[in-house]
Amino acid sequence: MLDIRDALAALLDREPDALTVSTCGFITRDLYNLRDRAEHFYLVGSMGMAAPIGLGIALAHPGRRVLVLDGDGSFAMNPGCLPMIAEHRPNLVHAVLDNGAHESTGGQRTVALGDPAATALAAGYAAAHTVDDLGELAALDLTGTPALVRIRCAPRSHPAGQRVRQTPQQLVERFRTRLGVPQPHLEGAV
């Protein structure tokens, strides 16, 4: 089993140009402290929403690869989005960092949803894999998308990193600016 930070670093090295959406909690904090970039869209308080938001980004920017970083708990929160992702066939890699716990809220055991890779295949994903080490992760062929990668991770042995400093509104603005998307004009905004 991998340390979550090692798994994140390996995913970022594999997908250096990807637009990355990370689930709330410690995974976002680990990503933020490991390698903050304007191409990272951190979800703060939106458990279960990384995959559907990643789909929206992939559909809006079909020429870009999207990397979704989910925990096993957040993955179990929203399995209904999997068939929708599969139907649209986006250029999306859905990584599930599976340590069997809701670490961000105290380490409670996650409710088993079965095998995330098998669930993704049943929903229609083009490919799904389960890996336990960096060598297996590096060897994966992720050309057929959408693809799910379940990465078995060890329980956290390090403290959570620093919280994301930007507000959700600042994160949206930073991400949209990086993508060249005009900022919306809000009526009555000062």
Side-chain angles (χ1 to χ4, degrees), residues 9 30 68 78 83 99 106 118 150 185:
D30 283 336
V68 171
N78 201 354
N99 62 3
R150 175 190 186 197
H185 174 73

Side-chain angles (χ1 to χ4, degrees), residues 14 16 26 29 39 48 55 72-73 81 107 115 120 124 167 186 190:
R14 269 193 76 113
F26 287 176
R29 289 169 70 172
E39 292 86 356
L55 172 61
D72 53 308
C81 72
D115 178 357
T167 66
L186 302 176
V190 179

